């Protein structure tokens, strides 16, 4: 069973060292997260797979690592200073500050055409505060999403040292267009790829690492002759979709969505979003836009930009003249991609049938939980939460023991935990879960944080321990990230590795000492075979 709620992923991520709430010992800082020992490996593997696919495996791409702090003029001419903002309104009654465009869309059933239309609706008292229902809302004002900082030792109080933390990596590529072109002697078409941090003072961050104020982007700017842009755009839409699919995202969870005319930026010719079916619904994973010549023109010296020192142009040998290339921009989020791979890989299933009497006891407890929920009135429990819990309890009761994974998932539901009898349900379900189900992250071997785990059958048998440690060392020397573990029975160690997505487990037993073979266990099939340990480093290195 895949993850049905983001809470399951959040809970696993925290429990097993993928992602922790940031600065938690001081109460945290809303929507900021730290990648733990396994999370950093996973995210690094995602970034490495991207870099390999878009730079190393192609002939038409270069890499770049531009500074986060740039001259403020970059953000003036890119348009971010004037337009990179969300419209906010204040409720005079309850002091809430919602996003005015969201309020408009939710209450009018369509996107607003602009700030003027939002303010006309506010003036006519047609919009209500989503928190308290009052129509006493202030005029919507743009709230710029860029984080400001000061460069230099003295903050003079004016804008002299003002700089921004970049809200996207893309501009670093545009302003380096001539540098890359000249030093690498490139001919069109060619592209530049960059991975790096970006910062946005998002009004509504949330959904775990999906939308945060500090995040990492993986962006490409691909420069082409005007006229060749549409084919290049389609090439990148296909290439990027294939990348996600090859790394394991299920086809039914991945789709392309054409942006409508209303959504398109004024300069964009076309934009296709790659969307993933996250537990909270279909959401953007990556945007692939045809931005025409907007960016290179905007940063080129000319009547509308007297501050730039250069023209960002290309001398076309065929036409014997300078042209401004068009640009195709596949723009992905490293954190969002990592989250999608985690969600897609998550699987919880029953591995063997629990005894009938234990199942009957659990059924009775779930029935009692359902009765408790039914008794709640609207003041004690929101009607939608009540309906959800009763529905879930009925489905689970009808399908036990097969629905044990669904019941365990309900353990992450805040509503369920508000019901006293659910503690008992959890106690029994967790025990059965430990004995009869397994959680497995079916990550692509290339993305898995740990590729192989090596165990000695007995930890108090020095010869087994020594051989297991040697095998681990040999795997590491071959570039296969491996761990050694002897802190439990083999079954428990397998389950621990399944939960973090380790594709291979190697067990060293007494036969290993005689014939040099070990048990090689596959995470997905749980199949086991004997393999010569001397051959493992090369064989596994190829698979991961
Ligand atoms: N240069 C174009 C650009 O930045 P975007 O759609 O704003 O376009 C591109 O961002 C990608 O960056 C998104 O598809 C998403 O994967 C990621 N992203 C954007 N804002 C984010 C946020 N607040 N938190 C996490 N990822 C974000």
């Amino acid at each position: 069973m895949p993850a049905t709620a983001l809470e399951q992923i959040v809970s696993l991520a925290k429990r097993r060292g993928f992602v922790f709430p940031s600065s938690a010992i001081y109460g945290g800082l809303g929507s900021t997260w730290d990648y733990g020992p396994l999370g950093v490996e996973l995210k690094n593997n995602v970034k490495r797979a991207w870099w390999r696919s878009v730079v190393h495996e192609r002939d038409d791409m270069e890499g770049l690592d531009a500074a986060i702090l740039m001259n403020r003029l970059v953000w003036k001419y890119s348009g971010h200073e004037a337009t990179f903002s969300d419209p906010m309104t204040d409720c005079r009654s309850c002091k809430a500050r919602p996003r005015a465009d969201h309020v408009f869309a939710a209450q009018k059933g369509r996107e607003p055409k602009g700030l003027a239309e939002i303010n006309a609706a506010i003036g006519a008292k047609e919009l209500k505060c989503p928190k308290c229902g009052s129509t006493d809302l202030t005029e919507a004002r743009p709230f710029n999403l860029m984080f400001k900082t000061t460069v230099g030792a003295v903050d003079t109080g004016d804008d002299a040292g003002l700089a921004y933390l970049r809200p996207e990596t893309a501009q670093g590529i545009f302003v380096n267009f001539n540098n890359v072109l000249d030093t690498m002697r490139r001919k069109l078409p060619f592209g530049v790829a960059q991975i790096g941090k970006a910062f946005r003072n998002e009004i509504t961050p949330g959904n775990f690492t999906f939308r945060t104020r500090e995040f990492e982007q993986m962006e490409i700017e691909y420069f082409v002759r005007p006229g060749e842009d549409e084919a290049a755009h389609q090439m990148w839409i296909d290439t990027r979709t294939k990348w996600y699919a090859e790394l394991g995202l299920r086809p039914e969870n991945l789709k392309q969505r054409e942006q409508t005319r209303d959504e398109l930026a004024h300069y964009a010719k076309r934009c296709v979003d790659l969307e993933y079916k996250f537990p909270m619904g279909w959401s953007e994973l990556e945007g692939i836009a045809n931005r025409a010549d907007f960016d290179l023109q905007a940063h080129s010296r000319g009547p509308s930009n007297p501050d730039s020192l250069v023209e960002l142009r290309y001398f076309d040998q065929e036409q014997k003249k300078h042209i401004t290339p068009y640009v195709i921009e596949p723009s992905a989020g490293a954190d969002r991609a990592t989250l999608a791979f985690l969600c897609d890989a998550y699987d919880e299933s029953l591995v063997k049938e629990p005894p009938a009497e234990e199942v009957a006891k659990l059924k009775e407890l779930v029935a009692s939980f359902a009765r408790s929920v039914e008794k709640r009135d609207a003041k004690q429990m929101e009607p939608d939460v009540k309906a959800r819990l009763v529905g879930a309890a009925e489905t689970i009761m009808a399908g036990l023991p097969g629905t044990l994974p669904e019941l365990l998932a309900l353990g992450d539901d805040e509503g369920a935990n508000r019901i006293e009898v659910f503690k008992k349900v959890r106690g029994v379900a967790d025990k059965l879960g430990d004995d009869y189900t397994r959680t497995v992250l079916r990550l692509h071997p290339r993305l898995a944080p740990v590729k192989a785990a090596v165990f000695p059958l007995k930890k108090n048998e020095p010869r087994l321990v020594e051989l297991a440690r040697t095998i681990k060392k040999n795997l590491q020397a071959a570039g296969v990230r491996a761990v050694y573990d002897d802190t439990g029975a083999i079954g428990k160690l397998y389950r621990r590795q399944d939960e973090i997505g380790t594709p291979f487990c190697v067990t060293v037993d007494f036969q290993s000492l005689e014939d040099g073979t070990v048990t090689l266990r596959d995470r997905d099939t749980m199949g086991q075979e004997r393999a010569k340990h001397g051959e493992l480093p090369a064989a596994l290195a190829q698979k991961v």
Side-chain angles (χ1 to χ4, degrees):
M1 189 191 86
T4 49
L6 206 52
E7 285 72 29
Q8 287 170 269
I9 304 295
V10 179
S11 156
L12 174 84
K14 193 172 163 194
R15 196 170 68 245
R16 299 310 316 270
F18 283 90
V19 182
F20 308 122
S22 179
S23 41
I25 65 162
Y26 289 108
L29 174 68
S31 295
T32 55
W33 303 94
D34 297 337
Y35 285 84
L38 297 181
V40 65
E41 296 289 345
L42 173 61
K43 190 166 136 183
N44 278 345
N45 290 342
V46 170
K47 291 189 283 182
R48 242 179 250 129
W50 182 86
W51 192 265
R52 178 170 146 176
S53 144
V54 306
V55 182
H56 291 178
E57 289 178 354
R58 298 183 61 107
D59 299 325
D60 53 356
M61 293 286 298
E62 302 286 354
L64 182 78
D65 185 10
I68 287 175
L69 296 176
M70 294 196 271
N71 190 310
R72 181 186 165 186
L73 292 171
V74 170
W75 306 108
K76 174 178 173 184
Y77 289 102
S78 68
H80 283 79
E81 270 196 342
T83 61
F84 194 58
S85 56
D86 286 337
M88 308 299 294
T89 176
D90 288 298
C91 172
R92 291 195 184 91
S93 181
C94 74
K95 310 295 174 217
R97 179 177 282 178
R99 261 185 73 168
D101 53 339
H102 287 179
V103 176
F104 185 102
Q107 294 174 20
K108 294 258 183 193
R110 66 174 175 83
E111 295 295 325
K113 294 212 166 65
L115 203 57
E117 192 181 21
I118 296 173
N119 281 331
I122 288 176
K125 304 269 180 218
E126 288 167 7
L127 300 185
K128 286 187 199 145
C129 168
K131 200 167 164 204
C132 73
S134 165
T135 54
D136 197 4
L137 301 173
T138 62
E139 191 168 87
R141 281 163 300 132
F143 174 82
N144 197 289
L145 300 182
M146 286 195 290
F147 279 104
K148 289 177 177 175
T149 189
T150 307
V151 173
V154 187
D155 185 354
T156 51
D158 56 19
D159 277 351
L162 174 64
Y164 299 104
L165 300 185
R166 68 179 174 200
E168 61 171 22
T169 58
Q171 300 303 321
I173 300 180
F174 295 129
V175 300
N176 274 293
F177 174 77
N178 283 359
N179 291 337
V180 177
L181 181 68
D182 296 345
T183 54
M184 306 315 287
R185 297 154 176 245
R186 278 287 177 181
K187 298 266 175 282
L188 291 180
F190 75 94
V192 182
Q194 175 167 225
I195 299 178
K197 289 267 186 178
F199 304 83
R200 296 181 190 176
N201 202 358
E202 298 279 5
I203 312 296
T204 47
N207 283 324
F208 195 29
T209 53
F210 178 82
R211 180 169 289 107
T212 50
R213 297 194 172 101
E214 173 183 345
F215 54 98
E216 240 174 322
Q217 288 189 311
M218 308 188 291
E219 294 202 292
I220 296 167
E221 304 301 336
Y222 192 75
F223 303 102
V224 295
R225 281 188 187 78
E228 294 173 7
D229 52 312
E230 289 176 14
H233 190 198
Q234 194 55 49
M235 177 274 288
W236 277 111
I237 295 166
D238 298 341
T239 303
R240 294 297 306 138
T241 309
K242 206 165 143 224
W243 183 78
Y244 289 105
E246 280 177 356
L247 283 175
L249 288 196
R250 282 169 257 204
E252 66 271 24
N253 291 342
L254 185 64
K255 72 174 181 194
Q256 298 173 354
R257 190 182 70 83
E258 192 82 35
Q259 281 198 7
T260 61
R261 285 228 149 273
D262 283 353
E263 287 174 275
L264 276 183
H266 66 90
Y267 47 78
K269 269 182 78 173
R270 184 184 171 210
C271 184
V272 171
D273 286 345
L274 301 187
E275 292 193 340
Y276 177 73
K277 197 173 174 192
F278 287 95
M280 68 278 185
W282 285 101
S283 309
E284 179 187 326
L285 196 53
E286 167 163 353
I288 306 169
N290 179 345
R291 298 172 65 98
D293 60 1
F294 175 78
D295 307 277
L296 293 183
Q297 290 282 16
H299 288 301
S300 287
R301 186 174 181 82
S304 55
N305 184 346
D307 291 315
S308 175
L309 304 176
V310 297
E311 287 184 63
L312 300 173
R313 299 271 198 87
Y314 173 83
F315 186 73
D316 191 355
Q317 294 287 357
E318 282 168 29
Q319 301 182 57
K320 300 276 178 264
K321 64 171 189 177
H322 280 97
I323 59 166
T324 304
Y326 272 25
V327 66
I328 307 301
E329 181 188 72
S331 174
D335 308 87
R336 231 173 246 192
T338 303
L339 181 60
F341 286 122
L342 260 181
C343 292
D344 218 74
Y346 187 93
D347 187 20
E348 220 174 301
S349 58
L350 200 65
V351 280
K352 57 180 172 166
E353 291 272 320
E357 60 277 20
E358 304 238 17
V359 176
K361 184 174 158 198
L362 188 58
K363 259 190 198 168
E364 187 37 53
L365 279 171
V366 178
S368 149
F369 162 72
R371 284 194 297 274
S372 259
V373 175
E374 295 269 22
K375 280 190 205 142
R376 304 270 149 153
D377 62 25
K379 269 195 209 142
Q380 295 167 310
M381 181 170 269
E382 302 81 345
D384 57 328
V385 177
K386 183 171 167 177
R388 187 184 75 226
L389 293 181
V390 171
E394 278 167 5
T395 313
I396 289 165
M397 271 189 290
L400 277 174
T403 49
L404 190 54
E406 279 92 331
L407 183 54
L408 294 169
L410 207 59
D412 292 317
D413 190 305
E414 215 187 291
N417 284 299
R418 272 155 49 192
I419 306 289
E420 189 56 28
V421 69
F422 193 66
K423 274 193 200 137
K424 280 195 192 158
V425 176
R426 273 190 77 160
V428 176
D430 284 349
K431 171 92 185 52
L432 287 185
D434 278 350
D435 296 343
Y436 301 98
T437 67
R438 73 166 186 152
T439 301
V440 53
L441 280 186
R442 297 183 190 278
L443 289 167
H444 189 287
R446 204 182 288 166
L447 299 183
V450 176
K451 314 297 184 188
V454 190
F455 319 131
L457 187 63
K458 289 196 160 155
K459 69 173 177 185
N460 50 7
E461 182 57 59
R463 288 179 307 155
L464 297 187
V465 169
E466 193 190 330
L467 181 55
R469 287 197 184 279
T470 305
I471 293 172
K472 185 240 175 190
K473 245 192 213 152
N474 293 342
L475 286 169
Q476 246 170 225
V480 178
R481 166 120 171 103
V483 295
Y484 168 89
D485 197 356
D486 63 9
T487 57
I490 295 296
K492 192 165 179 191
L493 298 181
Y494 282 156
R495 290 161 63 88
R496 203 181 278 166
Q497 295 300 325
D498 286 345
E499 220 185 357
I500 63 166
T502 306
F504 303 105
C505 287
V506 176
T507 304
V508 176
D509 54 22
F510 291 102
Q511 189 183 335
S512 313
L513 300 175
E514 283 163 21
D515 65 6
T517 66
V518 290
T519 302
L520 180 64
R521 186 240 193 201
D522 181 285
R523 174 197 68 196
D524 296 333
T525 61
M526 295 197 281
Q528 304 188 359
E529 58 179 0
R530 297 298 295 187
K532 287 220 169 288
H533 72 74
E535 291 169 6
L536 281 182
L540 296 195
Q542 217 199 356
K543 288 188 183 176
V544 301

